[in-house]
Amino acid sequence: MSLAFLHAHDCSEAHADAVWGVSWTKNDTVVSISADGSIRQSSSSSGEPHSPPNSPTDYRVPSPHTLGLVSLSVSPDGRHALYNSLEGLTSLWNLETGVSEGAFESFLREEGMGNAEPSWSVSLSPSGSTYASAGGHGNLTIRSAEPKNFGQKISTVFSGRNKFGMCCSYSPDGKRVALSSEIGHVFIFDVESNTFVNTYTSHAMSVRSVAWSPDGNLLLSASEDKRLILYDVRVSSGSSGGAVATFSGHSSWVLCADISPDGRFGLSGSADKSIKVWDIASRAAVSTVQDAGEVWSVSWRPRAPAVGSVGAFVSGGEDGVVKWWRGAGAGV
Amino acid sequence: MHEAVIENVPVTKRDIYYRDVPLFKDQRVVDTIVDDVAASLKLERSDLNVRATSKGIFCGSTFSIYLSSGNVIHGNDSEASLIPAGEDVETFNVDEDLAWVLIVEKDAVFQTLCHLNASNHPLLPGKGLLITGKGYPDMATRHLVKTLSDSLPQTIPIMALVDGDPYGLDILSVYKHGSSRLRHENGKLAAERVEWMGLLSSELTGLGIDKESLIPISQHDEKKALSMLGRSQDIMPAKWRKELIHMLHNRRKAEIEILSSPVDSSAVSHQGRSPFPSAENDIQRAPLLKYLHIKLSQFVTSAQSQYGST
């Protein structure tokens, strides 16, 4: 099977430096973060900057940070954007009111603790009450995402390996968090028992991104070994290892991954400057799109596509331009 | 030091250290004391008759150094010469066909270029002067670069080739902005004209170099990079910030050695037979030379068009 995806349009004004994260929200806007330190919300229909209807006259977009923004997590209702900077300043932006509702300096040493472990990757829980963060020493930390005590530590658990945590992500049901490391390990953390329950070791090189399927049964990892691996997280790592499929085809590091809202298609961006769409059931690439530079982040439109159409996604990469793509023959 | 001043016999910091190793325990203790005393007396270290031992070297037949002793150091295109301490130098002489000056961070890269006769090579845009401080430069090397920066016509670019990592940029900063420890002597030793040639991670794909050749950053690199990103804009330009930010995000750094390794043989075979075998061989065997061919041409052309007389 082969599908065609067309370049629909770009954001009206490029970021001044690479786009390192994009997220297509429920409200059909796209939030993007950049190496230039800025975070933006753009309308998916026009690519123009977006302020919500009925937003206050003093609706504000956070001013650019001095260092790049490396991690972005948007709530399923599209109301909050959690984001983290290169040195570990974690912030919460209310997309509806424009208010910055929280800021936490994860690089500061906390009372009674050893050295600080600045956050790298952050992920908002689906309920919005907590967020998970991964840093340089292999710990997964759960913190409050409530404005009243934003950043307050709830728990921190060591994954077993003192290695750089590249990505963490809450499962859609909020019960687990996936954590991936610079040496390729993928860990599954169970929130209720506050323990790591699985470790997958199919990659030996950095896994920069992980994505959950909507039903929370599958996890897709993107690695510098040029492959994506699909894991069935219901299978314990002990028995058959948990990996159920390998997607090869990229000629350089795979930098990001996403799974479509109907669970049928995987999406990946790579340092080989291309984006690939993968059919999960047949384990094959069904579309390749060429971009101008490294593709750091991809995100499916969260609304399931109309019957007969294959949906749309947004990408962000080295050239600083947020780009919208849609399946050929489909309107957005 | 008092003895050195009274008797007019110069000593080096190393000499002082060896006078009483158990007392000083570490060379850096001596270095700091000497600098502090000089600063308190508002003198230069050389006024106290404490000389630096030099470790910097240069290569290039267009350049000669005349010493106050009457001796001359004639530069050579295939062998390095030691850069003497600033206080021993009477004057420099530069031939009018000198086209560029290149400072390289590391001794190994300097030696490679010297062996290739880079200061007088058919594939490079004119004759050049190669300098290395072998890492963080000493006073003598910085003094030479500062003098060149002040005296050479603007049509001759002065460039630095350093690793694409925080230490490389810090070394570039020492040449260009001066070192933080010796603020009082900065007026003498900051060579503002020094331009950053590379190596930038972003240029590697254009050179056909795979991301796999990039080296993972260490915790030291991370700490150093974040610390440097806190510096003010006058000593941390936007272009350098961008390189450090991207380095931290990629979690990889670009070391110049990437260019010294032999070219992938499959790339070589596509070249076919060349009518200029030995020069072409150099290029194929040394991507470093190809890189310099491209970059030096850019800098020389730009300097000449900007400052050259019409």
Side-chain angles (χ1 to χ4, degrees):
Chain A
M1 178 192 8
S2 167
L3 300 173
F5 279 84
L6 305 177
H7 184 187
H9 60 87
D10 293 345
C11 59
S12 57
E13 196 189 315
H15 283 275
D17 199 344
V19 174
W20 285 342
V22 289
S23 184
W24 194 320
T25 77
K26 176 172 167 277
N27 306 318
D28 265 341
T29 62
V30 167
V31 180
S32 56
I33 54 167
S34 169
D36 70 7
S38 68
I39 178 168
R40 288 196 201 156
Q41 184 174 205
S42 312
S43 154
S44 288
S45 52
S46 64
E48 299 281 336
H50 170 87
S51 318
N54 309 320
S55 56
T57 44
D58 59 349
Y59 185 88
R60 283 188 324 273
V61 175
S63 26
H65 186 56
T66 47
L67 298 182
L69 301 180
V70 301
S71 181
L72 172 69
S73 176
V74 175
S75 58
D77 60 11
R79 289 165 68 183
H80 288 94
L82 177 77
Y83 58 99
N84 188 49
S85 75
L86 198 67
E87 83 275 34
L89 176 66
T90 310
S91 309
L92 185 69
W93 180 31
N94 185 313
L95 294 166
E96 275 188 332
T97 63
V99 175
S100 289
E101 290 184 343
F104 178 69
E105 295 173 307
S106 66
F107 43 86
L108 294 179
R109 187 189 291 218
E110 289 170 279
E111 294 250 352
M113 301 293 303
N115 286 334
E117 182 178 355
S119 302
W120 181 261
S121 173
V122 293
S123 173
L124 202 49
S125 66
S127 69
S129 57
T130 62
Y131 72 89
S133 71
H137 301 298
N139 288 303
L140 185 70
T141 303
I142 309 291
R143 297 185 182 276
S144 165
E146 308 277 359
K148 64 178 192 284
N149 60 351
F150 185 77
Q152 188 168 311
K153 184 188 300 206
I154 294 166
S155 81
T156 186
V157 184
F158 182 51
S159 62
R161 297 288 195 292
N162 181 356
K163 293 293 172 188
F164 204 92
M166 298 299 297
C167 181
C168 66
S169 177
Y170 262 97
S171 59
D173 62 6
K175 293 182 178 170
R176 285 150 300 166
V177 180
L179 168 69
S180 68
S181 84
E182 198 169 26
I183 56 168
H185 292 164
V186 175
F187 306 92
I188 307 294
F189 176 81
D190 177 81
V191 176
E192 189 172 342
S193 65
N194 208 39
T195 57
F196 283 95
V197 293
N198 258 336
T199 303
Y200 302 111
T201 55
S202 307
H203 290 294
M205 292 176 70
S206 187
V207 173
R208 285 187 172 259
S209 182
V210 290
W212 291 89
S213 61
D215 61 13
N217 291 330
L218 301 174
L219 189 73
L220 186 63
S221 63
S223 172
E224 284 181 6
D225 67 9
K226 309 177 192 176
R227 306 173 304 157
L228 295 109
I229 289 183
L230 189 69
Y231 310 84
D232 185 330
V233 301
R234 295 166 295 187
V235 176
S236 121
S237 46
S239 45
S240 59
V244 297
T246 300
F247 299 94
S248 305
H250 279 301
S251 55
S252 184
W253 304 348
V254 190
L255 303 173
C256 52
D258 196 13
I259 297 183
S260 60
D262 57 10
R264 290 175 61 203
F265 296 106
L267 180 64
S268 61
S270 168
D272 68 8
K273 308 182 188 179
S274 76
I275 300 166
K276 286 184 186 289
V277 180
W278 311 83
D279 181 289
I280 303 248
S282 66
R283 322 297 203 208
V286 294
S287 186
T288 300
V289 164
Q290 257 332 106
D291 196 2
E294 288 90 330
V295 182
W296 290 105
S297 187
V298 288
S299 175
W300 282 108
R301 186 185 190 203
R303 189 175 307 183
V307 171
S309 100
V310 292
F313 61 86
V314 68
S315 70
E318 196 67 16
D319 63 7
V321 179
V322 176
K323 297 172 185 163
W324 281 261
W325 310 82
R326 58 177 168 80
V332 174
Chain B
M1 276 196 296
H2 186 235
E3 220 181 84
V5 173
I6 300 287
E7 315 247 338
N8 203 21
V9 175
V11 291
T12 65
K13 290 185 293 182
R14 202 73 182 149
D15 294 337
I16 296 175
Y17 170 66
Y18 279 125
R19 290 288 186 96
D20 199 336
V21 175
L23 171 66
F24 295 120
K25 297 197 177 64
D26 194 285
Q27 178 68 55
R28 279 170 299 181
V29 172
V30 174
D31 296 352
T32 311
I33 293 172
V34 171
D35 290 341
D36 286 349
V37 171
S40 310
L41 295 171
K42 294 197 174 20
L43 292 172
E44 311 274 345
R45 188 172 44 206
S46 53
D47 295 330
L48 293 170
N49 235 351
V50 180
R51 298 176 28 195
T53 40
S54 7
K55 59 173 173 140
I57 49 180
F58 75 91
C59 181
S61 56
T62 52
F63 193 66
S64 315
I65 306 180
Y66 291 78
L67 303 175
S68 24
S69 62
N71 291 331
V72 185
I73 302 175
H74 290 292
N76 193 293
D77 289 322
S78 53
E79 264 174 41
S81 311
L82 198 64
I83 296 173
E87 55 264 27
D88 293 340
V89 175
E90 182 74 42
T91 187
F92 301 110
N93 187 57
V94 175
D95 288 354
E96 58 181 23
D97 52 355
L98 175 68
W100 48 268
V101 177
L102 180 65
I103 305 161
V104 295
E105 174 188 348
K106 286 145 75 167
D107 188 31
V109 177
F110 177 92
Q111 298 296 343
T112 303
L113 291 175
C114 221
H115 288 141
L116 287 170
N117 269 37
S119 54
N120 192 0
H121 197 284
L123 290 168
L124 297 180
K127 293 187 182 168
L129 174 60
L130 292 167
I131 297 171
T132 182
K134 298 183 186 172
Y136 280 90
D138 59 14
M139 302 283 276
T141 312
R142 292 174 58 202
H143 185 260
L144 169 61
V145 171
K146 168 71 174 170
T147 307
L148 292 169
S149 175
D150 289 345
S151 339
L152 289 180
Q154 295 270 23
T155 47
I156 302 176
I158 304 176
M159 304 146 290
L161 179 61
V162 297
D163 282 343
D165 68 11
Y167 294 95
L169 284 176
D170 200 24
I171 286 167
L172 168 61
S173 187
V174 170
Y175 282 109
K176 193 177 168 80
H177 304 126
S179 88
S180 46
R181 263 189 338 118
L182 293 168
R183 282 259 170 265
H184 71 296
E185 290 195 45
N186 269 354
K188 273 184 76 176
L189 292 176
E192 277 293 336
R193 247 176 88 182
V194 173
E195 299 173 75
W196 182 31
M197 171 191 273
L199 187 60
L200 285 80
S201 296
S202 48
E203 23 181 36
L204 292 178
T205 27
L207 299 164
I209 291 175
D210 199 72
K211 280 182 120 72
E212 306 310 317
S213 332
L214 295 172
I215 297 160
I217 55 175
S218 66
Q219 278 200 25
H220 287 294
D221 290 321
E222 278 179 49
K223 287 201 175 109
K224 180 80 179 162
L226 285 171
S227 155
M228 288 175 69
L229 284 166
R231 293 181 186 172
S232 64
Q233 210 188 353
D234 58 343
I235 53 170
M236 177 51 58
K239 232 180 118 189
W240 303 14
R241 283 183 68 84
K242 184 170 165 172
E243 185 67 14
L244 287 176
I245 286 171
H246 280 252
M247 184 204 77
L248 285 170
H249 185 250
N250 269 299
R251 298 192 58 74
R252 292 283 202 284
K253 54 187 177 179
E255 296 199 343
I256 310 172
E257 276 75 5
I258 298 175
L259 297 176
S260 293
S261 48
V263 178
D264 169 24
S265 57
S266 63
V268 169
S269 64
H270 289 143
Q271 301 281 347
R273 290 203 170 277
S274 160
F276 306 106
S278 88
E280 287 292 308
N281 260 341
D282 274 355
I283 282 238
Q284 286 174 7
R285 273 187 288 112
L288 178 57
L289 205 59
K290 179 175 178 180
Y291 176 79
L292 287 181
H293 166 75
I294 297 168
K295 301 291 289 213
L296 284 173
S297 305
Q298 282 171 6
F299 278 89
V300 168
T301 307
S302 167
Q304 287 180 351
S305 64
Q306 212 179 344
Y307 300 104
S309 51
T310 43

